[in-house]
Amino acid sequence: MAEGQEEVKLLGAGYSPFVFRVKWALKLKGIQYEYIEQDVINKSSLLLHYNPVHKKVPVLIHGGKPIAESVVIIEYLDETWKHNPILPVDPYQRAMARFWVKFIEEKLAEVIRRALLAEGEQQEKEVMQARDALKILDGELKDKKFFGGDTIGFVDIVLGGISVWLGVIEEAACFKVSDPIEFPRLKKWMDGISELSIIKEAVPPRDTLVLHFQKLRQYGLAKAAKK
Amino acid sequence: MAEGQEEVKLLGAGYSPFVFRVKWALKLKGIQYEYIEQDVINKSSLLLHYNPVHKKVPVLIHGGKPIAESVVIIEYLDETWKHNPILPVDPYQRAMARFWVKFIEEKLAEVIRRALLAEGEQQEKEVMQARDALKILDGELKDKKFFGGDTIGFVDIVLGGISVWLGVIEEAACFKVSDPIEFPRLKKWMDGISELSIIKEAVPPRDTLVLHFQKLRQYGLAKAAKK
């Protein structure tokens, strides 16, 4: 059996923007897969077995072999199923896509995660950093329809999950990173991706998400207070 | 002129483990390049022009086009100059290499950077995290000669810079992450890479490095105290 024809499973959690990225990439490739929802508080033996290092979703299992980390999974999907490419073909453009993905991971996703679990001055500091990152991304987008040009690419998928979730996390943790007026190009891009069926199909109802992130925040703050 | 034949320049700084990674990859590929040392406190207009987002070294300039972030540069080099491959060919093995590189970036390099700029309890917390990461890497290495198997690969290059620098940073910031006895396989791997000529050629004298990181620590602590 060719590599691409082996069984594909995805360990995920509905509330996770990182799982959403992988679902989006799988959809773009038209790959059939079995989705297995995980409880990430009471972790299943399946999750611990397939992602012993981070014990987190998403985990893609292809022909029995696990891959963790959403951005690593997306590159794997793109190299294994070559149709509907997600990364550009040109090495320089690929490097640029990877540069922006790393930027989003470190300067936005991680910062928003910290803002969700912080209070007061510390939270304000994180919020300012996230705003700076959005400003830079707004500048990078220029007047392109997508970061990938005319079609959705690696950067769009990686940022897309975060941007859809940002409003939810802001509400759950009582902060505000972004006023759409400040970032007109990002706003237009966001409006564009919000129209996609994947957003409507794979993103849980807003109220459920807000409640989930409120719980996550309380859990995180209580844990930090104990230390 | 074919892509690989255009002029290659590297903006670097002798004390940087991230620049060292790129020098190592360039050497493995046998790529000729012009090295331009940068002052990263008083940043040159060249550096600001070529890396406006992070304003940091390393920056590779190939045919006039800049690429920042050491791990992005290494993948670019590997995709542009295909001889002496750094990443494996098989997509699953490539994903595993990228997984570990991301792990090293987030759970070790970033943690050691924070430990360098922290004191007291906060520093202890970072040191414990770095130790956990080393333990996991020791387990992953198993009895392989290199993370890449019999030859040096992506993970070896990315971890190599850090491991060579770790002792220096420990001395400069008065902490101790690693006792080699705890990590026998990593110790053996370290001994192996320490023998390489690249280490002897590209790593500055230890005393100079310690002094540099002591200054960096004082600068960082003073900056944090002002906030």
Side-chain angles (χ1 to χ4, degrees):
Chain A
M1 201 178 342
E3 180 97 31
Q5 293 171 320
E6 290 178 285
E7 196 179 35
V8 177
K9 294 178 183 178
L10 176 63
L11 308 186
Y15 71 82
S16 163
F18 304 105
V19 172
F20 173 74
R21 291 174 176 171
V22 176
K23 284 183 179 172
W24 194 352
L26 285 162
K27 177 155 179 153
L28 279 178
K29 293 282 183 185
I31 300 166
Q32 298 296 316
Y33 64 99
E34 181 190 347
Y35 177 73
I36 309 167
E37 180 78 13
Q38 295 295 303
D39 181 341
V40 288
I41 304 289
N42 300 306
K43 300 184 190 217
S44 73
S45 55
L46 200 70
L47 180 60
L48 298 177
H49 175 72
Y50 281 118
N51 189 4
V53 173
H54 298 299
K55 307 174 181 71
K56 283 182 182 169
V57 290
V59 181
L60 187 90
I61 306 167
H62 182 206
K65 293 187 289 185
I67 304 151
E69 296 283 357
S70 62
V71 299
V72 175
I73 295 171
I74 294 170
E75 287 224 48
Y76 174 77
L77 292 175
D78 209 36
E79 291 186 344
T80 305
W81 287 266
K82 294 187 189 298
H83 65 279
N84 302 352
I86 292 172
L87 269 81
V89 174
D90 172 68
Y92 187 75
Q93 293 308 322
R94 291 169 76 82
M96 291 303 101
R98 288 189 184 118
F99 173 86
W100 287 111
V101 162
K102 193 168 162 62
F103 178 86
I104 292 163
E105 287 286 85
E106 294 172 1
K107 305 293 180 191
L108 191 63
E110 174 58 18
V111 173
I112 292 172
R113 190 192 67 80
R114 289 201 304 257
L116 173 68
L117 302 176
E119 294 177 297
E121 258 185 50
Q122 185 58 36
Q123 191 182 60
E124 273 171 43
K125 209 177 107 189
E126 309 293 357
V127 167
M128 289 303 293
Q129 280 192 29
R131 189 192 300 266
D132 288 345
L134 284 181
K135 198 174 166 185
I136 289 172
L137 288 165
D138 189 73
E140 167 57 19
L141 189 58
K142 301 185 188 82
D143 293 315
K144 289 179 289 190
K145 189 172 177 192
F146 298 109
F147 284 91
D150 287 333
T151 54
I152 287 166
F154 197 19
V155 182
D156 300 286
I157 294 173
V158 170
L159 183 61
I162 299 170
S163 65
V164 171
W165 259 256
L166 181 57
V168 167
I169 296 176
E170 285 176 332
E171 189 177 331
C174 309
F175 66 81
K176 188 84 191 158
V177 169
S178 62
D179 183 336
I181 297 164
E182 284 180 81
F183 309 116
R185 289 171 286 206
L186 269 182
K187 167 79 170 61
K188 201 172 153 195
W189 169 84
M190 264 294 293
D191 291 345
I193 65 164
S194 299
E195 289 304 306
L196 300 170
S197 60
I198 178 82
I199 306 273
K200 291 167 186 162
E201 288 162 20
V203 180
R206 190 185 166 93
D207 291 355
T208 322
L209 279 180
V210 170
L211 213 65
H212 171 81
F213 282 98
Q214 278 171 341
K215 273 190 201 165
L216 210 64
R217 174 173 163 81
Q218 284 156 9
Y219 179 78
L221 290 175
K223 207 171 147 189
K226 268 191 211 162
K227 277 185 186 169
Chain B
M1 200 177 343
E3 181 98 30
Q5 294 170 320
E6 289 179 287
E7 197 178 36
V8 177
K9 294 179 183 178
L10 175 63
L11 308 186
Y15 71 82
S16 162
F18 304 105
V19 172
F20 173 74
R21 290 173 176 172
V22 177
K23 285 184 179 172
W24 193 353
L26 285 162
K27 177 154 180 152
L28 279 178
K29 292 282 183 184
I31 300 167
Q32 297 297 314
Y33 64 100
E34 182 189 347
Y35 177 73
I36 308 169
E37 180 77 13
Q38 296 295 303
D39 180 343
V40 289
I41 303 289
N42 300 307
K43 299 183 191 217
S44 73
S45 55
L46 200 69
L47 181 59
L48 299 176
H49 175 72
Y50 281 118
N51 190 3
V53 173
H54 298 297
K55 307 174 181 72
K56 283 184 181 165
V57 290
V59 182
L60 187 91
I61 306 167
H62 183 206
K65 294 187 288 185
I67 304 150
E69 296 282 356
S70 62
V71 300
V72 176
I73 295 171
I74 295 170
E75 287 224 47
Y76 174 77
L77 293 175
D78 208 37
E79 291 185 344
T80 306
W81 285 267
K82 295 188 190 295
H83 64 279
N84 301 354
I86 292 172
L87 270 81
V89 174
D90 172 68
Y92 186 75
Q93 292 308 322
R94 291 169 74 82
M96 290 304 99
R98 290 189 183 117
F99 173 85
W100 287 111
V101 161
K102 194 168 162 62
F103 178 84
I104 293 164
E105 287 287 83
E106 295 173 1
K107 305 292 180 191
L108 190 63
E110 173 59 17
V111 173
I112 292 171
R113 190 192 67 79
R114 288 201 304 257
L116 173 68
L117 303 175
E119 294 179 296
E121 257 186 51
Q122 184 58 36
Q123 192 183 58
E124 272 171 46
K125 207 176 108 190
E126 308 295 356
V127 167
M128 289 303 294
Q129 279 192 28
R131 190 192 300 266
D132 288 347
L134 285 181
K135 196 174 168 185
I136 289 172
L137 288 166
D138 190 73
E140 168 56 18
L141 188 57
K142 302 184 187 85
D143 293 315
K144 289 180 288 188
K145 188 172 176 191
F146 298 110
F147 284 92
D150 286 332
T151 55
I152 287 166
F154 197 18
V155 182
D156 300 286
I157 294 174
V158 170
L159 182 61
I162 298 169
S163 66
V164 171
W165 259 256
L166 180 57
V168 166
I169 296 176
E170 286 176 332
E171 190 177 331
C174 310
F175 65 81
K176 188 82 191 159
V177 169
S178 62
D179 183 336
I181 298 165
E182 283 179 82
F183 309 117
R185 290 172 285 206
L186 268 183
K187 168 77 170 61
K188 199 173 154 195
W189 169 84
M190 263 294 292
D191 291 345
I193 65 164
S194 298
E195 288 304 305
L196 300 170
S197 61
I198 179 82
I199 306 274
K200 291 168 187 164
E201 288 162 22
V203 180
R206 189 186 166 92
D207 291 355
T208 322
L209 279 180
V210 170
L211 212 66
H212 171 81
F213 282 97
Q214 278 171 342
K215 273 189 200 163
L216 210 66
R217 173 172 164 82
Q218 283 155 10
Y219 179 79
L221 290 175
K223 209 171 145 188
K226 268 190 208 160
K227 276 185 186 166

